[in-house]
Amino acid sequence: MIQKQPAVLFSEKVIQERVRELGRRISADYSDVEELVLVGVLRGCYIFLADLSRCLTIPRRIDFIAISSYEHKTTPGALRLIMDTRTDITGKHILIIDDIVDTGQTMHYLLEMLGARKPASLRSCVFLQKPDRLEKEVHIDYLGFDIPDLWVVGYGLDYADRYRALPYIGFVESEDF
Ligand code: IMP
Ligand code: MG
């Protein structure tokens, strides 16, 4: 069977322009800060974080965190920390980097958990958000794009661990599953 390529939602060019714009804003907002710690949420963040971190003009450090994904959830909404940051974030300026906010459960959990460790500041930067799916009110400080309720893939995002390395953001429909 020939694998159908997912339809394009955002082209490589549109993505790169948006990432550069976010990079400019973040660099300006943190220009007075000694160091910014980017905490990427694995695995979906890896390409966005790689691109964004290279657009920044301020001193930054990269760290990662991993949260259980849908397939490992026993109860809907229940999340589990699989891997913690190496950095002790207390007193540091933290920017959480994630690929997408869907129900908002993951970002809500991360903001609570990392906020409890008393960082100097804590903000979120997310490439995509599905406003129609939001269940938890979460504040996103830096957002790439709002998108409709579609299953999107590429640019780090997967469907059953496929399509992550697509250079654009596409969407899959049930016949592609
Ligand atoms: P939330 O906790 O419901 O906001 O979901 C967050 C996580 O679900 C994201 O970080 C993704 O890993 C995954 N996810 C949600 N929607 C999509 C999608 O359309 N494509 C790929 N992954 C998604
Ligand atoms: Mg994710």
Side-chain angles (χ1 to χ4, degrees):
M1 196 186 93
I2 299 167
Q3 185 68 53
K4 210 172 98 193
Q5 282 293 91
V8 179
L9 188 61
F10 298 113
S11 69
E12 222 175 323
K13 184 166 175 282
V14 167
I15 293 170
Q16 292 310 323
E17 278 169 9
R18 191 68 187 132
V19 172
R20 276 198 293 273
E21 172 58 28
L22 289 173
R24 277 193 290 272
R25 276 180 48 206
I26 294 167
S27 298
D29 290 355
Y30 289 92
S31 59
D32 294 338
V33 160
E34 197 181 322
E35 184 182 60
L36 177 65
V37 184
L38 305 171
V39 175
V41 186
L42 291 173
R43 286 173 282 178
C45 76
Y46 79 110
I47 295 181
F48 177 43
L49 177 59
D51 285 349
L52 182 71
S53 62
R54 289 179 294 176
C55 290
L56 300 179
T57 54
I58 49 168
R60 68 274 190 195
R61 187 194 286 225
I62 312 293
D63 208 331
F64 293 98
I65 207 161
I67 307 291
S68 63
S69 62
Y70 288 162
E71 64 229 90
H72 301 124
K73 278 187 199 172
T74 44
T75 332
L79 294 172
R80 196 163 53 93
L81 182 66
I82 295 173
M83 190 189 86
D84 207 341
T85 58
R86 284 201 186 186
T87 319
D88 174 7
I89 70 164
T90 305
K92 304 260 172 43
H93 293 279
I94 305 299
L95 184 59
I96 302 171
I97 312 289
D98 207 355
D99 52 357
I100 188 164
V101 165
D102 183 23
T103 64
Q105 300 281 359
T106 307
M107 188 52 77
H108 178 82
Y109 174 85
L110 285 171
L111 287 168
E112 295 256 302
M113 186 190 61
L114 298 180
R117 299 179 187 175
K118 304 275 178 273
S121 70
L122 178 63
R123 288 185 184 163
S124 59
C125 173
V126 176
F127 198 58
L128 304 173
Q129 182 194 22
K130 297 181 194 170
D132 299 343
R133 296 257 313 154
L134 211 60
E135 290 170 10
K136 287 264 182 195
E137 212 44 62
V138 286
H139 184 73
I140 300 174
D141 297 282
Y142 304 96
L143 175 67
F145 300 101
D146 274 332
I147 61 164
D149 184 8
L150 295 168
W151 194 267
V152 286
V153 294
Y155 200 61
L157 291 138
D158 73 307
Y159 171 70
D161 241 346
R162 283 160 54 208
Y163 304 118
R164 281 194 202 275
L166 271 186
Y168 63 92
I169 289 177
F171 59 97
V172 289
E173 291 166 294
S174 45
E175 65 262 31
D176 306 320
F177 285 4

